[in-house]
Amino acid sequence: METKKKLKVSAIRNGTVIDRIPAEGLFHVIEILGLAKRDLQMTFGTNLESKVLGTKSIIKITDKFFEEDDVNRIALVAPDAVLNIIKEYKVVEKRRVVIPSEIYGLVRCLNPRCITNHELIKTRFTTSMTSDGIVLRCHYCEKETEQKNLQIISNN
Amino acid sequence: MKSLISINDFNKEEMMQVLDLARKYEAEPNCPIFSDKVIACIFFEPSTRTKLSFETAVSRLGARVIGFSSLPATSIAKGESLKDTIKMVSNYADMIVMRHPLDGAARYASEIAGCPVINAGDGANQHPTQTLLDMYSIWKTQGTLENLSITMVGDLKYGRTVHSLLQAMSHFNPRFRFVSCPELEIPWEYEHFLDSRNIPYSQHNVLEGQIQDADILYMTRIQQERFQDPMEFEKVRNLMSLDASMLTDTKPNLKILHPLPRVNEIATDVDERPEAYYFDQARNGVFTRMGIITYLMNQ
Ligand SMILES: [Zn+2]
């Protein structure tokens, strides 16, 4: 069990541990969940060893539990992420993130000629999985943005 | 209330309903059934051909046309947002026909307008009325849309008419041949689209030899701007141009289509051949657009 291995960052009593974040995805996850803007007690671990990812990051957030829709938004940058729900130092639930079928806001359309890059419009995409990862299809210009080209819109 | 923004907005049945209406209008072009309607044709970039075709269609249906054409006379040049312009126009009109240089502009407009929107071209994205008139031309000349062999030639990378026609025809069990140069090959997402529907296709770099078993030869223009080297452009163009001498041993039902304007990818000696259909194709545009307006107005 992952949690028994001692997560190299001190344990929390109640809250959420987001595990298996790709090392380079840590700051995106913080941004997407708006963690920096809240008065939350958090600890981060980064460049930890991971059998699945090589290296990974984790975030522990005290006294914070997420709504499913909220947390699935991080699937774009951390598709393998696992949420450990902690109550009284014990993992009471493990949840994998699920890629939402539609994504509103959050990501910029890669097409410079897309109307969403010229007017104040909330972006909107449908998602699909390919062998190269997630592909987002823009609801407006109908062009596809691949996972490796994703640009997260800040202050969302 | 339904809009036509992308060819994917219509299913097979809806496409056939529009084509049936187009056939009706071709038999009887003067049908002033919408004399109580005002239709706005707003063109944020010039396109004389498409605008004339739409305005003729609107007039033959008895509706009145309002609108504007391209910058800078309109307030858009003063920085008015697309949103504000669409809100304003939809106060006056029962339907909006719009052309815009940016991809996705028509979809956005359809979400804020209080009336149906017809996309008359949004940047490099979609031009669904062109696709429906292409389909009408195919249907009319072949008697069916099913099981046809279609050879598409030219700029298959940027040519939006190619992409939309390919999507639309996918409902009708087609076979495709793509003739292009490596720089202008069909994008991977369309190959993926065809693969996922088990639609057979093959790719070629020379037009010669790819015509003989075709029912439809769909020619498109290659723009010189796509090439950095003018010599390369000349070479490629020669490999993808059609002249009358190439039209031997072809199928008797072969028709040549081109969304126009052509430059010289079709030699003028083809114009008099019975296979040449591109001028009739343009005429079909009016009837098809009458069909589209009627179908959407009645939703
Ligand atoms: Zn877009």
Side-chain angles (χ1 to χ4, degrees), chain B residues 189-202:
Chain B
E189 58 252 52
Y190 293 100
E191 287 182 44
H192 180 238
F193 171 83
L194 294 173
D195 289 339
S196 70
R197 281 162 181 73
N198 286 320
I199 295 172
Y201 63 92
S202 55

Side-chain angles (χ1 to χ4, degrees), chain A residues 109 111 114 116 138 141:
Chain A
C109 180
N111 172 11
C114 179
T116 60
C138 177
C141 75

Side-chain angles (χ1 to χ4, degrees), chain A residues 111-122 124 128-130 132 135 137-144 146, chain B residues 5-8 80-84 100-105 107-108 111 122-126 167 188-189 192:
Chain A
N111 172 11
R113 302 287 297 161
C114 179
I115 187 74
T116 60
N117 288 316
H118 295 262
E119 291 233 344
L120 278 173
I121 303 172
K122 191 174 189 181
R124 182 173 160 191
S128 61
M129 274 307 282
T130 69
D132 294 329
V135 173
R137 182 184 164 84
C138 177
H139 166 73
Y140 293 99
C141 75
E142 305 182 18
K143 296 278 178 299
E144 292 184 342
E146 294 168 271
Chain B
I5 306 303
S6 162
I7 194 64
N8 301 318
E80 184 176 18
S81 70
L82 176 62
K83 182 178 182 177
D84 292 7
H100 197 282
L102 291 174
D103 306 350
R107 176 74 63 198
Y108 178 57
E111 289 171 355
D122 61 325
N125 183 32
Q126 285 269 341
Q167 290 172 315
W188 66 269
E189 58 252 52
H192 180 238

